[in-house]
């Protein structure tokens, strides 16, 4: 079956850099996605990696190594508003059906 | 410019009293999903529609049903809510041709069962 592992919590200070890791086991791999969810809010799409390497979008970057079944989300110049839960996800075949990791709760402190 | 709309945002029901949650989308996406999310957990897929084709997850209780009368609307019916069904219910959409697997989520309906 499909499974994803990510740390449950990460703490950092404003202005710092934090990396949230995700390892996955899948029967077929299409790509690794990252979603952000603020408390009480909806998940929002952050990034997607189908190929090995780094994808950069502003302060956020995402990395994938398919040979290691591993990826990470890198958040730079942390701001208080980055405090949220971050989910990695992989497709479970079908029609863009996603399996989500348990989520990493990021707390950014002054 | 809301793209995925869920109503109501907060719903309170009584134990055993049927409740319906609604979702609409302006994206014209083929696929619509319903997720259940409990506190500090990942969204759990209940079922999804590809157009009118209904796909139920194997572990979704029979208590949960869904209807999709047209492309824009999708409903989640909970026939006899139990205390364990209190959760955030998220609707999402996607386009099968989207190479990034992006799902667009609505703001959710928080269900309280008394």
């Amino acid at each position: 079956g499909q499974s994803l592992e990510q740390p449950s919590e990460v703490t950092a200070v404003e202005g710092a850099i934090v990396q949230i890791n995700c390892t996955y086991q899948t029967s077929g791999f299409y790509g690794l996605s990252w979603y952000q969810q603020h408390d009480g809010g909806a998940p929002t799409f952050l990034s997607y990696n189908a190929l090995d390497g780094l994808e950069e979008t502003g302060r956020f970057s995402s990395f994938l190594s398919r040979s290691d079944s591993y990826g990470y989300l890198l958040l730079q110049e942390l701001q208080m508003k980055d405090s949220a839960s971050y989910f990695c996800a992989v497709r479970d075949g079908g029609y863009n059906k996603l399996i989500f990791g348990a989520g990493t709760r990021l707390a950014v402190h002054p | 410019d809301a793209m995925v709309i869920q109503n109501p945002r907060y719903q309170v029901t009584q134990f055993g009293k049927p409740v319906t949650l609604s979702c609409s989308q302006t994206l014209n996406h083929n696929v619509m999903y319903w997720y259940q999310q409990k506190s500090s957990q990942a969204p759990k897929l209940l079922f999804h529609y590809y157009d009118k084709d209904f796909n139920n997850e194997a572990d979704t209780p029979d208590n949960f049903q869904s209807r999709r009368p047209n492309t824009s609307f999708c409903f989640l019916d909970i026939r006899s809510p139990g205390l364990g069904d209190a959760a955030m219910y998220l609707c999402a959409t996607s386009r099968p041709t989207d190479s990034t697997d992006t799902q667009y989520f609505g703001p959710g309906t928080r269900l309280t069962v008394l």
Side-chain angles (χ1 to χ4, degrees):
Chain A
Q2 323 266 24
S3 67
L4 300 99
E5 287 192 20
Q6 51 181 130
S8 59
E9 290 185 16
V10 174
T11 303
V13 296
E14 269 188 302
I17 299 172
V18 72
Q19 179 174 311
I20 300 173
N21 299 321
C22 175
T23 57
Y24 58 86
Q25 285 187 315
T26 61
S27 53
F29 182 77
Y30 298 88
L32 183 70
S33 303
W34 289 93
Y35 285 77
Q36 178 193 59
Q37 185 179 28
H38 288 98
D39 284 348
T44 56
F45 173 80
L46 286 178
S47 68
Y48 176 82
N49 294 70
L51 302 175
D52 290 352
L54 192 68
E55 295 278 345
E56 298 182 63
T57 308
R59 294 186 298 113
F60 294 1
S61 303
S62 57
F63 172 84
L64 176 66
S65 169
R66 288 177 298 171
S67 60
D68 296 322
S69 298
Y70 162 76
Y72 64 74
L73 181 68
L74 190 73
L75 298 86
Q76 303 181 72
E77 301 173 20
L78 281 173
Q79 302 176 9
M80 297 293 289
K81 67 179 181 179
D82 298 328
S83 294
S85 291
Y86 293 84
F87 295 92
C88 57
V90 294
R91 190 199 290 190
D92 183 24
Y95 314 112
N96 293 5
K97 183 175 152 182
L98 294 177
I99 301 297
F100 287 88
T104 299
R105 190 172 185 87
L106 171 65
V108 180
H109 297 288
Chain B
D1 285 25
M3 297 183 291
V4 183
I5 303 161
Q6 291 188 244
N7 285 306
R9 294 293 311 279
Y10 301 90
Q11 176 73 57
V12 180
T13 191
Q14 292 180 333
F15 183 94
K17 185 174 180 181
V19 67
T20 295
L21 310 182
S22 73
C23 176
S24 63
Q25 55 138 335
T26 59
L27 297 165
N28 203 34
H29 284 172
N30 297 92
V31 191
M32 294 187 77
Y33 310 81
W34 279 106
Y35 290 88
Q36 179 192 66
Q37 187 178 30
K38 297 189 176 180
S39 183
S40 302
Q41 295 183 21
K44 179 180 179 299
L45 183 64
L46 297 173
F47 24 61
H48 73 280
Y49 278 93
Y50 188 128
D51 293 327
K52 284 199 170 292
D53 290 336
F54 177 71
N55 299 270
N56 198 34
E57 293 301 297
D59 57 354
T60 298
D62 293 340
N63 197 28
F64 292 87
Q65 304 285 317
S66 186
R67 297 168 282 137
R68 188 179 185 186
N70 53 52
T71 300
S72 301
F73 286 87
C74 196
F75 300 97
L76 171 62
D77 301 306
I78 308 176
R79 293 193 297 187
S80 182
L83 298 179
D85 297 328
M88 175 75 86
Y89 290 88
L90 295 163
C91 173
T93 73
S94 76
R95 206 173 34 157
T97 53
D98 186 341
S99 60
T100 65
D101 296 340
T102 302
Q103 293 193 9
Y104 298 83
F105 285 82
T109 294
R110 183 166 294 283
L111 179 68
T112 300
V113 182
L114 302 177

